[in-house]
C-alpha cells in the first residue's frame, strides 16, 4: 500500500508520489521535491490552483504552526515552472 497524504490546498487525499512536500525555512515556504529536508512538512498538489487555495485559506501557517505570514513567492515560482514544463 502506498503512503497517502492530504493536500493542504484542496484537502484531497492522494498518493504521496503525486504531491509536493513543502517546508518552512526561515519564514519562506520552500519546495522539497525529494522530501528530505528536516522539519515539519506539508503536502500540496503541484498546481497553481491548489497553491492558491492553500494560500487563500492560510493553510501554510496552520500546517507549519507558524502563526505569522510566510513568504510563498519561491514556491509559487517553482510550481509555475513545473506546470510550464508539463505543458510543453
Amino acid at each position: 500500500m502506498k503512503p497517502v497524504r492530504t493536500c493542504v490546498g484542496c484537502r484531497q487525499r492522494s498518493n504521496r508520489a503525486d504531491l509536493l512536500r513543502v517546508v518552512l525555512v526561515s519564514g519562506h515556504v520552500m519546495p522539497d521535491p525529494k522530501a528530505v529536508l528536516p522539519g515539519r512538512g506539508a503536502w500540496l498538489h503541484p498546481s497553481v490552483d491548489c497553491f492558491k487555495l492553500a494560500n487563500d485559506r492560510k493553510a501554510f501557517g496552520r500546517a507549519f504552526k507558524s502563526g505569522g505570514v510566510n513568504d510563498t513567492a519561491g514556491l509559487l515560482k517553482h510550481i509555475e515552472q513545473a506546470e510550464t514544463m508539463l505543458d510543453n
Side-chain angles (χ1 to χ4, degrees), residues 12-81:
Q12 295 292 316
R13 293 173 55 86
S14 297
N15 288 332
R16 177 181 156 170
D18 298 332
L19 298 168
L20 172 65
R21 182 175 187 259
V22 295
V23 294
L24 186 65
V25 178
S26 301
H28 300 276
V29 180
M30 304 294 296
D32 182 15
K34 294 183 180 180
V36 295
L37 292 176
R40 184 177 190 87
W43 297 85
L44 180 73
H45 284 110
S47 74
V48 173
D49 291 338
C50 283
F51 170 84
K52 287 180 181 178
L53 284 170
N55 208 38
D56 291 346
R57 292 177 45 244
K58 298 177 177 39
F60 294 117
R62 280 193 305 280
F64 298 124
K65 298 181 180 181
S66 64
V69 175
N70 301 309
D71 181 12
T72 58
L75 175 60
L76 177 59
K77 184 176 179 179
H78 175 84
I79 291 171
E80 288 173 339
Q81 287 175 345

